[in-house]
Amino acid sequence: KESHPDQATTPNTHAGLPPATNPGPRMNATFVTLARNSDVWEIARSIRQVEDRFNKKFNYDWVFLNDQPFDDQFKAVTSALTSGNTKYGEIPKEHWSFPEWIDQDKAAKVRADMAARKIIYGDSISYRHMCRYESGFFFRHPLMLDYEWYWRVEPSIELFCDIDYDTFKFMADNKKKYSFTLSLYEYVETIPTLWESTKKWMKNHPEHIVEGNSMGFLSDDGGDTYNHCHFWSNFEIGNLDWLRSPAYIDYFESLDKDGGFFYERWGDAPVHSIAAGLTLKKEEIHFFNDIAYYHVPFTHCPTGEQYRMDHKCHCNPKDNFDWNGYSCTARYYELNKMDKPAGWEQENS
Ligand code: GDP
Ligand code: MN
């Protein structure tokens, strides 16, 4: 896709900040953050890191979404920190509430039961709305319809290395649709029937299952059972047209009808991951080894000392999660027949 004409000239005229140092056209892309007003100082830290390490050179826009109206302080603080244009959107009620087919008593029982079993966010209604929103709606928000590419940013994340190239352009040039920095196994208690729902959908919609997909990342027995591997969706750079495609929307709607966002506690991470694994060719999913990233409690610190020096990284390679037994990233490498980065064995010891 062509670069966005509006951004073909150096942006960042509105804020009185220095111009973007990276010359050339821009992609039709935005950062996107779902947040509460109370997240303001945590998201401020994230924005500062993203701007310092990447966006001061590119000045991409930033869309903020909230189920409540953003307050003046949130808008003022985030606008002051960002180099691109900021947009603030409220989420329509229909996208942040229980669908009519959900049995409220059953959902309430589940929450009480999960609370008793101490499952993280097990008793939370808002967390379930959040997961459902990130699974099925953020890419259809009116403010997001203008864009083709997104980079999701959550509060309190860290970026540890300079990113000197346009990651959105990289995605487009290399025909990538979805990307990750961390992968891991999902808590089985939160998704006991997600795979049954997925298999039902696959049977009803074989036309959406792409040849050369990443089933081997998701399942160890050819699709019979889910191994719980997923890409961690608090970081994502992805293609919005893929999320808005019939394949993805069909998958989301089928899951939504089955009710597991409320009768269990399905996360958007396994939902995005399974969809990417089945509806994209495996080459369309990218691992950004060069984006050094932290979201509590995991770190992706790029393997390879020379790279870390050259990009002024400040992460401790000992904290890198990639080659840990609880990471699924080695499986991704195997499925894609990629050699692990030089140095992974030493840095893992
Ligand atoms: P965790 O990373 O799974 O522990 O969940 P977070 O608390 O980080 O929430 C995920 C994202 O959704 C973050 O960007 C939060 O700011 C946002 N979020 C979570 N709950 C709500 C909510 O009730 N309202 C809004 N507007 N955003 C929320
Ligand atoms: Mn988070």
Side-chain angles (χ1 to χ4, degrees):
K1 180 92 191 272
E2 302 313 308
S3 302
H4 195 42
D6 293 352
Q7 297 181 341
T9 52
T10 306
N12 194 16
T13 47
H14 75 291
L17 294 168
T21 51
N22 196 290
R26 296 289 180 266
M27 302 301 292
N28 186 9
T30 186
F31 290 92
V32 60
T33 292
L34 175 68
R36 295 156 288 217
N37 286 310
S38 58
D39 293 321
V40 60
W41 298 112
E42 285 71 35
I43 198 60
R45 287 169 49 197
S46 300
I47 295 170
R48 181 71 210 202
Q49 302 231 359
V50 171
E51 289 289 335
D52 284 352
R53 291 300 198 170
F54 173 81
N55 202 39
K56 69 178 179 196
K57 293 164 259 183
F58 296 94
N59 298 175
Y60 279 108
D61 289 356
W62 207 305
V63 172
F64 296 91
L65 300 174
N66 189 352
D67 57 306
Q68 303 287 320
F70 280 112
D71 61 28
D72 290 343
Q73 185 197 40
F74 188 99
K75 290 190 217 173
V77 169
T78 54
S79 287
L81 286 166
T82 42
S83 59
N85 295 311
T86 48
K87 302 179 186 178
Y88 299 88
E90 213 179 315
I91 294 168
K93 269 279 159 306
E94 318 82 84
H95 293 172
W96 196 280
S97 44
F98 291 90
E100 28 90 14
W101 60 85
I102 295 298
D103 176 341
Q104 290 290 340
D105 292 340
K106 182 172 165 186
K109 275 210 192 87
V110 167
R111 291 194 300 275
D113 174 62
M114 283 193 170
R117 291 157 61 206
K118 301 224 168 13
I119 294 169
I120 183 168
Y121 301 119
D123 61 344
S124 173
I125 295 177
S126 66
Y127 195 84
R128 286 183 171 79
H129 289 315
M130 182 278 286
C131 289
R132 179 169 175 261
Y133 187 76
E134 293 286 24
S135 297
F137 299 107
F138 83 90
F139 47 85
R140 304 192 249 183
H141 189 282
L143 290 178
M144 297 300 287
L145 297 178
D146 296 340
Y147 299 100
E148 185 186 1
W149 300 96
Y150 74 103
W151 179 334
R152 174 169 165 184
V153 177
E154 283 204 359
S156 299
I157 61 114
E158 293 191 61
L159 289 184
F160 300 107
C161 302
D162 284 344
I163 305 162
D164 296 322
Y165 65 96
D166 186 338
T167 52
F168 299 114
K169 187 168 185 310
F170 172 90
M171 295 284 288
D173 289 350
N174 293 282
K175 300 191 164 52
K176 306 292 184 188
K177 294 283 163 63
Y178 191 76
S179 67
F180 70 100
T181 56
L182 285 160
S183 72
L184 64 160
Y185 295 92
E186 181 62 300
Y187 300 117
V188 59
E189 294 86 355
T190 67
I191 52 158
T193 69
L194 176 59
W195 195 250
E196 285 310 311
S197 280
T198 299
K199 286 203 287 189
K200 184 181 80 181
W201 174 76
M202 288 174 66
K203 221 171 137 204
N204 292 340
H205 289 283
E207 75 276 14
H208 292 324
I209 311 305
V210 159
E211 228 176 282
N213 61 35
S214 302
M215 182 61 98
F217 178 79
L218 302 169
S219 174
D220 301 340
D221 50 22
D224 193 27
T225 60
Y226 180 34
N227 62 21
H228 307 126
C229 279
H230 64 290
F231 308 119
W232 222 20
S233 61
N234 46 64
F235 168 94
E236 293 177 319
I237 298 175
N239 183 282
L240 291 160
D241 292 330
W242 166 60
L243 291 172
R244 292 185 288 242
S245 70
Y248 186 87
I249 300 281
D250 261 11
Y251 179 56
F252 170 73
E253 286 179 351
S254 174
L255 295 184
D256 201 29
K257 283 273 151 35
D258 289 341
F261 292 107
F262 299 103
Y263 299 145
E264 295 178 3
R265 207 220 67 203
W266 294 351
D268 52 281
V271 172
H272 288 185
S273 301
I274 293 170
L278 300 178
T279 72
L280 297 177
K281 293 200 190 77
K282 64 182 182 342
E283 298 76 21
E284 293 177 308
I285 303 177
H286 181 62
F287 171 56
F288 274 111
N289 184 44
D290 49 357
I291 299 185
Y293 178 77
Y294 170 81
H295 176 295
V296 64
F298 298 119
T299 297
H300 165 65
C301 188
T303 302
E305 186 171 28
Q306 193 58 52
Y307 178 86
R308 293 194 302 269
M309 298 296 166
D310 291 345
H311 295 83
K312 301 185 167 28
C313 303
H314 71 283
C315 52
N316 181 344
K318 290 261 175 288
D319 294 336
N320 182 31
F321 184 64
D322 298 350
W323 318 120
N324 182 299
Y326 294 103
S327 168
C328 292
T329 298
R331 285 177 187 268
Y332 171 87
Y333 270 76
E334 280 152 31
L335 177 71
N336 290 282
K337 300 192 170 50
M338 289 160 56
D339 292 328
K340 293 195 186 115
W344 75 273
E345 274 166 312
Q346 300 89 292
E347 291 176 13
N348 191 37
S349 60

